[in-house]
């Protein structure tokens, strides 16, 4: 299963790089004489979860899917659905940032011979940072922002170009951004999934949603030999060997604990069936996860709520304006 997960993660990382490159070509063609028109890849909207969350609230109140970045809404819905079906499986199997974080701690393990675990005294307060960030976004968007305020925001050039602005965070990186990334990268070498565990507000939300997922890791006390291999292997530092059922919002559904358990049937992936839990083949977990992810995207495509309704000429105008903003600010 470990190889299947690593291959899946590498595949989605490759898709992300491809999407980023295509979006870069799309942006660059304005103001140049590109022979062939490059269309905008809608999945780039996955990088705008705040827009997706805003669109979800707007949809709940008005029944309308915001047309400039509809894929942000669809992606947000798809990722939340995956968390309802298959724990934080999006973080453990699909998210490119989760994959990069994993590559960092694996490199750290190779370099230093081990990764570190923050003591509980620091781990809990630092982990609360991501919940604070999540709470702030929920307060600002979920509570304070009314649908009328959202409409006024959706028609601004700023909103129309949030995808371009997000890309420019990386293509025209400021010194501060570089320092922040280097610091996070350094910590990620020492601590497993540092960004995901301590700072990602999206992961915090998905973790809470994942509590409702029927899929959970279950340990059979009678078969368990208490070797603690599962606890040692868990990238989310969950004490699997101490629990009957893993309810933690940090569980990525990565199945690493299953791969490391030496005792047949001691640890299983299970699904709620009435009052009991039924074990199922671990390979079905990523299948359910990916099927539910693409099912929502498929619905978005079929209902024509995937591609932006913004006309390329409007894109050209707003992108050209951003270019002028940058030359005026001397960047
Ligand atoms: S408990 Fe198992 S499935 Fe959950 S994060 Fe830890 S190793 Fe992965
Ligand atoms: S790896 Fe398996 S046998 Fe060892 S402690 Fe965990 S559940 Fe028990």
């Amino acid at each position: 299963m470990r190889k299947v997960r690593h291959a899946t993660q590498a595949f989605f990382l490759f898709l992300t790089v491809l999407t980023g490159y295509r979006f870069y070509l799309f942006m660059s063609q304005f103001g140049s004489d590109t022979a062939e028109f490059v269309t905008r890849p809608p999945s780039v909207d996955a990088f705008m979860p705040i827009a997706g969350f805003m669109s979800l609230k707007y949809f709940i109140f008005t029944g309308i899917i915001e047309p400039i970045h509809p894929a942000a809404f669809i992606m947000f819905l798809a990722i939340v659905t995956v968390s309802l079906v298959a724990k934080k499986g999006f973080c453990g199997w699909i998210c490119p940032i989760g994959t990069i974080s994993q590559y960092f701690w694996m490199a750290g393990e190779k370099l230093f011979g081990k990764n570190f675990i923050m003591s509980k005294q620091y781990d809990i307060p630092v982990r609360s940072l991501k919940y604070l960030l999540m709470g702030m976004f929920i307060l600002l968007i979920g509570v304070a922002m009314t649908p009328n305020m959202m409409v006024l925001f959706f028609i601004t050039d700023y909103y129309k170009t949030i995808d371009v602005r997000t890309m420019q965070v990386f293509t025209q990186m400021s010194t501060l951004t570089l320092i922040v990334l280097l610091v996070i990268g350094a910590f990620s070498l020492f601590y497993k999934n540092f960004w995901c565990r301590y700072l990602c507000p999206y992961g915090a939300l998905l973790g809470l949603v994942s509590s409702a997922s029927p899929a959970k890791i279950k340990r059979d006390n009678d078969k368990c030999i208490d070797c603690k291999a599962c606890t040692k292997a868990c990238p989310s530092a969950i004490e699997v060997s101490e629990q009957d059922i893993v309810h933690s919002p940090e569980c990525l559904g990565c199945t690493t604990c299953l791969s490391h358990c030496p005792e047949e049937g001691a640890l299983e992936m299970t699904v709620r069936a009435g009052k009991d839990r039924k074990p199922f083949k671990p390979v079905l977990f990523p299948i359910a996860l990916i099927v539910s992810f693409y099912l929502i995207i498929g619905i978005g495509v079929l209902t024509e709520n995937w591609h932006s309704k913004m006309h390329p000429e409007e894109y050209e105008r707003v992108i050209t304006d951003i270019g002028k903003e940058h030359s005026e600010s001397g960047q």
Side-chain angles (χ1 to χ4, degrees):
M1 278 303 287
R2 218 171 337 155
K3 280 187 185 151
V4 175
R5 188 169 80 92
H6 288 179
T8 310
Q9 288 178 297
F11 172 72
F12 279 103
L13 181 60
F14 171 71
L15 278 190
T16 307
V17 172
L18 211 64
T19 304
Y21 178 63
R22 196 166 173 88
F23 184 63
Y24 177 76
L25 291 181
F26 168 76
M27 269 168 48
S28 314
Q29 69 194 337
F30 297 112
S32 76
D33 302 324
T34 317
E36 195 189 333
F37 182 73
V38 181
T39 52
R40 179 183 177 278
S43 49
V44 79
D45 285 349
F47 283 92
M48 302 180 305
I50 298 171
F53 180 40
M54 212 183 279
S55 293
L56 177 64
K57 177 170 174 184
Y58 186 70
F59 176 74
I60 291 169
F61 277 82
T62 64
I64 299 166
I65 296 174
E66 175 286 302
I68 306 289
H69 297 294
F73 167 78
I74 297 294
M75 280 295 205
F76 187 80
L77 215 59
I79 292 167
V80 169
T81 305
V82 167
S83 310
L84 274 174
V85 173
K87 300 256 345 136
K88 256 173 98 178
F90 173 78
C91 306
W93 290 78
I94 298 178
C95 177
I97 299 166
T99 303
I100 293 170
S101 293
Q102 181 182 302
Y103 291 164
F104 266 78
W105 69 252
M106 284 171 140
E109 198 174 37
K110 282 228 157 66
L111 280 173
F112 312 115
K114 64 169 188 171
N115 295 115
F116 296 87
I117 295 177
M118 223 179 260
S119 70
K120 279 206 177 113
Q121 185 191 357
Y122 297 110
D123 180 71
I124 294 169
V126 183
R127 211 155 14 120
S128 64
L129 283 175
K130 67 179 176 191
Y131 291 107
L132 280 176
L133 288 169
M134 179 197 78
M136 194 183 77
F137 287 124
I138 291 181
L139 212 64
L140 285 175
I141 296 163
V143 180
M145 213 169 179
T146 64
N148 283 346
M149 288 160 86
M150 286 177 186
V151 173
L152 293 176
F153 181 54
F154 290 153
I155 57 171
T156 60
D157 283 356
Y158 185 87
Y159 181 73
K160 289 175 186 169
T161 54
I162 46 169
D163 46 0
V164 180
R165 290 172 195 275
T166 306
M167 179 101 186
Q168 283 178 339
V169 169
F170 300 99
T171 56
Q172 297 173 13
M173 201 176 285
S174 68
T175 314
L176 180 66
T177 309
L178 181 65
I179 292 171
V180 170
L181 287 180
L182 286 175
V183 169
I184 293 174
F187 275 103
S188 304
L189 285 171
F190 296 110
Y191 296 103
K192 287 185 177 175
N193 302 329
F194 180 78
W195 164 260
C196 315
R197 185 170 179 83
Y198 296 111
L199 298 171
C200 179
Y202 205 5
L205 176 72
L206 300 181
L208 295 184
V209 172
S210 79
S211 307
S213 165
K216 299 266 188 286
I217 298 285
K218 185 173 179 283
R219 190 180 61 90
D220 185 333
N221 219 2
D222 295 333
K223 293 181 181 161
C224 174
I225 54 166
D226 201 28
C227 67
K228 303 206 188 307
C230 49
T231 297
K232 278 182 213 140
C234 176
S236 294
I238 298 169
E239 291 181 336
V240 186
S241 54
E242 309 299 318
Q243 307 188 15
D244 293 333
I245 297 171
V246 176
H247 288 287
S248 168
E250 301 297 337
C251 178
L252 304 167
C254 64
T255 69
T256 308
C257 51
L258 300 182
S259 321
H260 281 75
C261 179
E263 283 301 302
E264 174 98 34
L267 213 53
E268 288 179 308
M269 183 63 92
T270 62
V271 66
R272 201 172 39 227
K275 280 186 183 164
D276 296 326
R277 300 208 136 258
K278 271 204 161 144
F280 65 93
K281 283 201 172 120
V283 75
L284 293 175
F285 184 80
I287 293 176
L289 187 161
I290 290 167
V291 166
S292 52
F293 184 61
Y294 279 109
L295 184 72
I296 303 293
I297 292 175
I299 293 172
V301 174
L302 290 175
T303 56
E304 297 187 359
N305 288 303
W306 183 242
H307 291 277
S308 173
K309 309 281 188 300
M310 189 156 76
H311 199 275
E313 281 167 15
E314 178 66 350
Y315 241 113
E316 181 159 23
R317 182 188 70 76
V318 287
I319 289 179
T320 313
D321 283 353
I322 291 189
K324 283 184 199 152
E325 257 176 47
H326 275 272
S327 30
E328 278 164 19
S329 65
Q331 285 186 43

